């Protein structure tokens, strides 16, 4: 009883910290280093996914607010780019220290905003986001060009790495703090300034993160606006002063952004979707493969991850054992209010995304061969009735051509397939337009290396299935995206431009001595 009360109390105190911040940040954007009202007077409601209640409003910005943010970033760029890189890094280090001190506020608002469970998701995501911020701050000294041996007589030949200018960053809601840092930190440390648009479903935690950064960053280095994609995102993409776009989200939008940025030859980085294979060979260590299927599917983030291993290929010899193990573990996961530290699984971000899962489940259930092995419903618990909850779901018997196995559901739904031939399994694993991540479980080195060679994916793991993190270069192949993030190469390749310089020292004049 006492324990239950303690649980309730932490949930209440977490809730209080989060709602105070939600109230303070409501109706605000960040321009010139300050929380201000937008020019647009329209707003978007922000909903707590755990109970569908309103937690605040954010401005529904349109092009006038975008123009204002770009002007601010433009002004800031002229002096931010001139600050020596390691000085910029030190400013960012100080900002990261402030984030660290206010970690609890970030974790609780992240959880309230997204419906992602605080213990399993919001706490580790906040830690990874701050860690990534520190990492890029520390990489400031790595901004450097190359020096070439003379290939022309008397000529000094070198290249520079310079900031590009104003970067437009557009992020989604599924891991908003980590994804925000993946864009703003390498851009800012490289001397660019940023206009960031938050996702309409989870804007407040990002605003809090950016608000804390303002205590150290010069005004205008990071401007933050909110709004819908077409109304606030597109004006950033097409703005003539924005010289680089970095985006994470759906393939459909990524493709549109690339087309819209093309006329001004603006480089784009795209992190898009996936339909990723998680493959278990007959000799796999089941002690790690079974939890690896659950972690890989990101069930404790309601499957809302681009890396979710939603196509699970299991060798027929161990199929039943694996399924039994996974189903047992799924049934032990506790679903509940995201701010309750006892919850393993929280709620899906929005009614729209819940409906997306319901749509795919309806399709799946129409298939006569389908068998739902776990989940397949909204939870019966009346306490979860108002929130956007859906049980962690595992199915078998769905034809691989079904949209359920081909399209990104971005919900807690995975399909299992039994196989007995490595080559045809690999063919099926690669038979998707996406190529984001892939995992294999085996103790057979030959097969592991064959898999690494043949799999069409940008992020490949063997005998583990960890989430992307700082210093691990990450990005997709095929229709999963363009470019890599989270490591040094992302700062150098995506947020700098280069000049090639040839300086001819000429001949020593005869009338000069020494
Ligand atoms: P989305 O791709 O529509 O939105 C992501 C971001 O792009 C948001 O900030 C949105 O406002 C903005 N946006 C939308 N249309 C835009 C446009 N025309 N120009 C500029 N910005 C625009 O993703 P949404 O609607 O939230 O989710 C739909 C599906 O997308 C999900 O079910 C999932 O399959 C996929 N997705 C993939 C993500 C990933 O991490 N790769 C993240 C979020 C969604
Ligand atoms: Mg959308």
């Amino acid at each position: 009883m006492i324990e239950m009360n303690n649980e309730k109390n932490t949930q209440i105190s977490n809730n209080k910290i989060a709602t105070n911040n939600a109230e303070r940040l409501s109706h605000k954007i960040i321009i010139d280093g300050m929380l201000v009202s937008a020019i647009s007077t329209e707003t978007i409601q922000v909903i707590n996914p755990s109970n569908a209640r309103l937690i605040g409003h954010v401005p529904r910005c349109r092009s006038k607010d975008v123009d204002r943010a770009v002007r601010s970033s433009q002004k800031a760029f002229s002096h931010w780019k001139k600050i020596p890189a390691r000085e910029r890094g030190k400013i960012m280090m100080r900002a990261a220290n402030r984030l660290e001190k206010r970690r609890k506020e970030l974790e609780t608002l992240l959880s309230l905003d997204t419906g992602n469970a605080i213990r399993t998701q919001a706490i580790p995501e906040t830690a990874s986001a701050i860690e990534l911020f520190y990492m890029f701050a520390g990489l400031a000294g790595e901004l450097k060009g190359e020096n070439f041996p003379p290939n022309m007589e008397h000529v000094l030949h070198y290249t520079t790495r310079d900031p590009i200018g104003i970067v437009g960053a557009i992020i989604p809601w599924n891991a908003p703090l980590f994804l925000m840092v993946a864009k703003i930190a390498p851009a800012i440390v490289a001397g660019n300034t940023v206009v960031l648009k938050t996702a309409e479903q989870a804007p407040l935690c990002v605003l809090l993160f950016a608000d804390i950064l303002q205590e150290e960053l010069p005004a205008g280095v990071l401007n933050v606006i909110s709004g819908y994609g077409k109304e606030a995102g597109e004006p950033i993409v097409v703005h003539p002063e924005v010289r680089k776009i970095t985006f994470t989200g759906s393939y459909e939008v990524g493709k549109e952004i690339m087309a819209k940025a093309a006329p001004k030859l603006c480089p784009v980085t795209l992190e898009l979707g996936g339909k990723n294979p998680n493959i278990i060979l007959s000799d796999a260590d089941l002690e790690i493969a079974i939890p690896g299927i659950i972690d890989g599917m990101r069930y404790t983030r309601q499957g809302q991850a681009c890396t979710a291993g939603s196509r699970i290929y299991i060798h027929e010899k161990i199929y039943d054992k694996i399924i039994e193990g996974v189903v047992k573990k799924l049934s032990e996961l506790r679903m509940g209010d995201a701010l309750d530290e006892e919850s393993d699984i929280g709620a899906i971000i929005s009614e729209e995304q819940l409906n997306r899962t319901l749509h795919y489940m309806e399709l799946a259930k129409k298939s006569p061969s389908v068998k739902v092995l776990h989940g397949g419903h909204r939870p019966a618990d009346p306490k979860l009735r108002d929130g956007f909850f859906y049980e962690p779901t595992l199915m078998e018997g769905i034809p691989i051509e079904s949209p359920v196995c081909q399209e990104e559901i971005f919900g807690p739904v995975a399909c299992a397939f039994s196989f007995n031939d490595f080559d045809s399994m690999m063919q099926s694993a690669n038979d998707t337009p996406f190529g984001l991540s892939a995992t294999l479980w085996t103790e057979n080195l030959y097969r592991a290396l064959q898999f690494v060679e043949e799999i069409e994916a940008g992020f490949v793991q063997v005998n583990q299935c960890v989430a992307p993190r700082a210093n691990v270069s990450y990005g997709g192949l095929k229709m999963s995206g363009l470019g890599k993030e989270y490591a040094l190469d992302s700062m150098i390749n995506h947020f700098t431009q280069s000049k090639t310089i040839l300086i001819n020292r000429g001949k020593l004049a005869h009338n000069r001595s020494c």
Side-chain angles (χ1 to χ4, degrees), residues 1-10 334 340 342:
M1 192 63 203
I2 292 173
E3 228 173 64
M4 263 187 73
N5 277 341
N6 280 347
E7 261 170 46
K8 204 78 214 139
N9 286 343
T10 40
R334 194 165 150 174
D340 179 350
E342 294 296 305

Side-chain angles (χ1 to χ4, degrees), residues 210-245:
D211 185 39
I212 297 171
L213 296 179
Q214 301 305 321
E215 293 172 26
E216 297 293 344
L217 292 180
V221 168
L222 172 63
N223 290 290
V224 185
I225 63 158
S226 50
Y228 292 118
K230 275 264 165 220
E231 297 169 1
E234 202 174 300
I236 296 177
V237 174
V238 300
H239 200 294
E241 298 300 333
V242 173
R243 293 303 317 151
K244 160 81 195 181
I245 301 293

Side-chain angles (χ1 to χ4, degrees), residues 170-174 179 197-201 227-230 233-234 237 247-250 253 256-257 271-273 306 353 356 408-410:
I170 298 174
I171 57 168
W173 41 264
N174 56 324
L179 298 176
K197 189 192 86 63
T198 55
E200 50 271 36
Q201 301 88 343
Y228 292 118
K230 275 264 165 220
E234 202 174 300
V237 174
F247 169 78
T248 298
S250 60
V253 172
E256 215 176 308
I257 284 178
E271 292 294 343
L272 311 176
C306 41
Q353 286 296 125
R356 186 180 172 108
E408 187 176 46
I409 300 177
F410 228 63

